[in-house]
Amino acid sequence: MSADSLPEESKQQAPDTENTDLDIRAIFDEIDTNHNGRLEAEELKRGLQRLGLPHDSPAYLDQLLKQYDEDKDGTVDFWDFQHYVMRKERAIRRAFKALDEDDSGAISLIELKHALQESWVPLTDDDAMDMIHLLDRDGDDQINYNEFRHFVYLLPENQISRDNILFSWVDSADWMDGIEYRLSMTPPRAPLQRFLAGGVAGHVQGQPGHHDQSGAADGGAVRGVRHLQGSHVCPERAGVPDTEHGTRLTAWQHLMAGCIAGAAATAVTYPLETLRTHMAMGSNNYGTVAKDIIGSHGYSGLYQGFHAGLYSSIISNGLGFSSYEIGVQKYREWNNGRSPSPAQRGFIAGGSALVVMTAIMPMEVITRRLQIQGREGHPHLYAGSWECAKRMVAAEGLTSLYRGSLSSYMKVLPSICVVRFLYEGLMQAWGTGGIHKYRQQSKNDDDSWPSI
């Protein structure tokens, strides 16, 4: 059916294909400054810089080049660019129409301010006008569809939605003005997206109960590497600064924060871990178990093996954060600044889990032995963690500190890989974190960790 035979309402919604092709060619030629018919990294960098986009992020450039290269031949010519644009045209028009509330064909200052208010972004009139000026090419103080497309074509494809485009626009205008990203500018859907992604990813992991001592240690090992899963991610990985001044914590600060948090959590929850261990040994009621422990050993009985558990928690949190961050940093160093894919992050998380489990497994085994001593069939043999370790090695050999660890490795490592992969994959598909995460990666690569 031709455009002439369409109903009037459909004509208004149908894109002008001829004009669209001309506009796409004009945008392509503007980026292709050396006019060789291909988009190259340096040309894209200049185009990004003009619009306040992350031009100095290798990961961002790599993302654009990959999404444009429709035929996967390693180059981006006009055919590739045009096919990508046409594939995204409907989503771009939908986002534009959501901002152009009066269907005038242009986004006015009033419409932009209304959209910002709906998204809970506290920008002044001057801030909003700076956003208009960033994209306004004809000087009429409003943004028509062609000006809008100039910006959106240079966004990662997972950012092409009304909210993601709006927040990318705010971020770019702030960057051009030398303003640090605003902590309050978290897209309303982002917390829900992180919650859903963490829930979906975490659902694939189960912790089947065990009714022996090694099983209890296995549960401890699972908890020891839980922070490597996607459901426990530092705020800046989602692109949100984690201090009130909008500056990211250094890796050493993350290490210390993780250690302190682990110690605090252990101090509070350790009695529950003691009860859990006794329940795994065959007890049927938490109240009865608690009463028996307190009756036999006093309230201190709930903290038997506490020191080993505390050391395990501190080391697992510290090693978990640091080994994963170092793994990601090294990947970027070895791949010209590119960030790992979700699958690669899953493997990095699995490697980090291997390091953590190997370090904490002896302490987990010692902790469980100390927790259950005094029960029937488990006489009181050890005065503390160090004595327990020495006597175990002397009587049973060094391998006794890793008793039951094979099942832990077989269960936990694949689980960590899959959970991290699913979480990162969902975050990437939804575009959570926006374009600011690319700035944070570039900004903090140099001060994350020393070379090793």
Side-chain angles (χ1 to χ4, degrees), residues 206-212 214-216 218-219 276 279-281 411:
Q207 292 188 34
H210 298 276
H211 299 288
D212 58 22
S214 64
D218 179 59
R276 177 187 180 280
M279 292 290 289
M281 298 297 295
K411 180 177 75 173

Side-chain angles (χ1 to χ4, degrees), residues 218-235:
D218 179 59
V222 171
R223 288 187 301 279
V225 295
R226 186 186 297 277
H227 53 277
L228 291 170
Q229 298 172 2
S231 54
H232 185 91
V233 179
C234 299

